[in-house]
Amino acid sequence: MPIQKTVNVNPPPFASKPRRKGSTQRTNLSIATWEGVPAIILQTLLGGPFLTGFLLYLGAGSRHIGFVLAITTFVNIAQIGAAYWMQRIRSRKRMLILFVGIHRVLWSSTGLIPFLFPKEWWVGIYIGVYTVAFISNTIGGMIWTSLIGDIVPAKVRGRYFGIRNTILNALGSVCLFAGGIVLDRFPGEMGFLILFIPVWICAIANTVIYCFYPDVPFERSTEQVFWRMFKKPFQDPSFLKAALFLAAWLLIQTLIVPLFSYVMLDLLNINYQTVSIITVVQTLVMMAGFYIWGNLNARFSNKTLLFWTLPIIALSCLSWGLMSFMPVLIALFLSHIFLGIGVGGFNQLAFNFTIGDTPKSERPMFVAVYSALTGVTSFLGPLIGGWLYEKMEAWPDAMNWVSAYGFQVGVGAAMLVLTFTLGRRVLLK
């Protein structure tokens, strides 16, 4: 005989209805989108061409800039330890707030360096604070990736991130344009001070919004021993081949792509506002790309679409060669249009690959191994690129074309060769 349930025939007049699962999911997705608003403002005003410009203002050279651009990926090695440590924490949400908060506070505090320290210390202190901030960020990013993978349902993941990234990059493009105008009208100390005021506000707001994230249950690894847990990704041939190939690809890509702003600002002597407009165009194209790649992701696999982003990124580098017979700005706009389409799709699809094509219980370690492999190569790329540009500065004036566009074309050609040889076998078969 089935168990009879008692029913309250006359519920209290003000009793609230239980929240439906669909409604809860929509609320969580909305929170995740709103959290990105202050994050993208902070990231835009502290990164990209403004990061390069601020480092040049502090007195950094191409090697310093290459190191700073590289360290954000190198510290991803720490995610391997974080993935193991995550199995023992009780609340992912609390640890997320802690580590993301440390990152936001430290990175935004770099704006105080010119006001607190002698000029000869500026670059060294910036690198130190920046490094600690991004060590904290890589741990927070690991937790966020695990948490957001559980918050966003798999069936809408590609489309949701496409829409989310489109919205946030629209806001980022506005910030890029406004920031460029500010730095052109108020060069030097005053301009950067104006930029850092909204950065400080957004650092606090972003940390507070994380408090509204749901602390969903965590499916832990089936392994308790670190070494066995660490071996899991290396025992998955499909994942490992793709991760190793993408790591090799990023080594070549980061020789030049992170230094695009440096070349425009320091070697081609293009002003901040023009660089900002170019970057805004890139962002607008990226926004459309996010939506298109997201919809395509509902029909095609992550790895198939990843493959087709690679020749587009290569075209971005090859386009620099157009300035040998065309106006410089036309070549730069074309390059950044290709970059927006390619890199936007690459980043979105690589993220979906790590959280969608990996076992849920072992996802943190798979993400950590991917991040560590690509982090090492993405660290070496800008360092080597910055060192090569430093060597090019000593070359005769007749060789200036090499640093202006020749190096970029060579890197783009190498990308195409790698894509249609090894990339085709790894990602399409």
Side-chain angles (χ1 to χ4, degrees), residues 182-231:
V182 168
L183 289 182
D184 274 339
R185 293 187 179 179
F186 304 96
E189 182 179 291
M190 179 56 68
F192 285 111
L193 177 60
I194 294 172
L195 291 189
F196 271 95
I197 291 173
V199 163
W200 293 326
I201 296 171
C202 289
I204 297 171
N206 189 217
T207 307
V208 169
I209 295 176
Y210 275 114
C211 297
F212 295 93
Y213 260 60
D215 203 359
V216 296
F218 179 33
E219 184 175 336
R220 302 181 189 278
S221 172
T222 57
E223 301 290 348
Q224 298 298 317
V225 179
F226 171 78
W227 183 246
R228 292 178 180 174
M229 190 185 303
F230 178 66
K231 287 195 301 182

Side-chain angles (χ1 to χ4, degrees), residues 27 59 158 180 184 194 235 320 358:
T27 299
D184 274 339
I194 294 172
Q235 294 170 341
W320 284 69
T358 54

Side-chain angles (χ1 to χ4, degrees), residues 242-290:
L244 288 172
F245 168 75
L246 294 175
W249 166 269
L250 286 171
L251 174 63
I252 298 176
Q253 176 184 311
T254 53
L255 287 172
I256 179 59
V257 171
L259 295 166
F260 276 4
S261 294
Y262 166 73
V263 176
M264 289 188 290
L265 290 169
D266 202 52
L267 300 184
L268 300 179
N269 294 315
I270 299 174
N271 60 47
Y272 283 111
Q273 186 169 353
T274 303
V275 173
S276 296
I277 293 172
I278 292 172
T279 312
V280 166
V281 171
Q282 174 192 327
T283 306
L284 292 173
V285 174
M286 189 183 297
M287 286 162 45
F290 282 141

Side-chain angles (χ1 to χ4, degrees), residues 138-387:
T138 197
I139 298 173
M142 158 64 66
I143 300 171
W144 183 84
T145 301
S146 171
L147 191 59
I148 201 70
D150 292 339
I151 291 173
V152 183
K155 62 182 180 180
V156 300
R157 193 171 286 151
R159 185 165 296 175
Y160 167 74
F161 283 114
I163 295 172
R164 180 182 188 267
N165 291 335
T166 300
I167 294 171
L168 296 183
N169 278 273
L171 177 59
S173 65
V174 174
C175 294
L176 273 170
F177 184 72
I181 294 175
V182 168
L183 289 182
D184 274 339
R185 293 187 179 179
F186 304 96
E189 182 179 291
M190 179 56 68
F192 285 111
L193 177 60
I194 294 172
L195 291 189
F196 271 95
I197 291 173
V199 163
W200 293 326
I201 296 171
C202 289
I204 297 171
N206 189 217
T207 307
V208 169
I209 295 176
Y210 275 114
C211 297
F212 295 93
Y213 260 60
D215 203 359
V216 296
F218 179 33
E219 184 175 336
R220 302 181 189 278
S221 172
T222 57
E223 301 290 348
Q224 298 298 317
V225 179
F226 171 78
W227 183 246
R228 292 178 180 174
M229 190 185 303
F230 178 66
K231 287 195 301 182
K232 287 276 187 177
F234 295 93
Q235 294 170 341
D236 186 328
S238 177
F239 169 82
L240 185 60
K241 288 178 182 178
L244 288 172
F245 168 75
L246 294 175
W249 166 269
L250 286 171
L251 174 63
I252 298 176
Q253 176 184 311
T254 53
L255 287 172
I256 179 59
V257 171
L259 295 166
F260 276 4
S261 294
Y262 166 73
V263 176
M264 289 188 290
L265 290 169
D266 202 52
L267 300 184
L268 300 179
N269 294 315
I270 299 174
N271 60 47
Y272 283 111
Q273 186 169 353
T274 303
V275 173
S276 296
I277 293 172
I278 292 172
T279 312
V280 166
V281 171
Q282 174 192 327
T283 306
L284 292 173
V285 174
M286 189 183 297
M287 286 162 45
F290 282 141
Y291 185 77
I292 294 170
W293 290 115
N295 284 330
L296 288 174
N297 206 187
R299 299 174 55 194
F300 303 100
S301 72
N302 293 315
K303 289 200 291 186
T304 298
L305 294 177
L306 263 174
F307 172 82
W308 290 109
T309 66
L310 305 185
I312 299 175
I313 298 173
L315 285 175
S316 171
C317 295
L318 291 170
S319 298
W320 284 69
L322 296 175
M323 67 178 63
S324 62
F325 59 89
M326 293 176 62
V328 171
L329 289 181
I330 293 178
L332 292 177
F333 273 109
L334 284 174
S335 171
H336 284 75
I337 288 171
F338 286 127
L339 188 66
I341 299 171
V343 170
F346 181 93
N347 292 338
Q348 180 169 305
L349 293 162
F351 177 78
N352 290 345
F353 164 68
T354 57
I355 68 172
D357 295 0
T358 54
K360 184 177 180 181
S361 62
E362 309 300 329
R363 184 181 295 153
M365 188 58 75
F366 273 78
V367 172
V369 168
Y370 173 83
S371 298
L373 291 173
T374 55
V376 170
T377 55
S378 297
F379 170 75
L380 294 175
L383 280 183
I384 296 171
W387 176 78

Side-chain angles (χ1 to χ4, degrees), residues 379-403:
F379 170 75
L380 294 175
L383 280 183
I384 296 171
W387 176 78
L388 288 173
Y389 271 113
E390 194 172 81
K391 294 298 181 183
M392 292 177 202
E393 290 177 3
W395 292 2
D397 291 343
M399 298 293 290
N400 284 346
W401 66 272
V402 177
S403 58

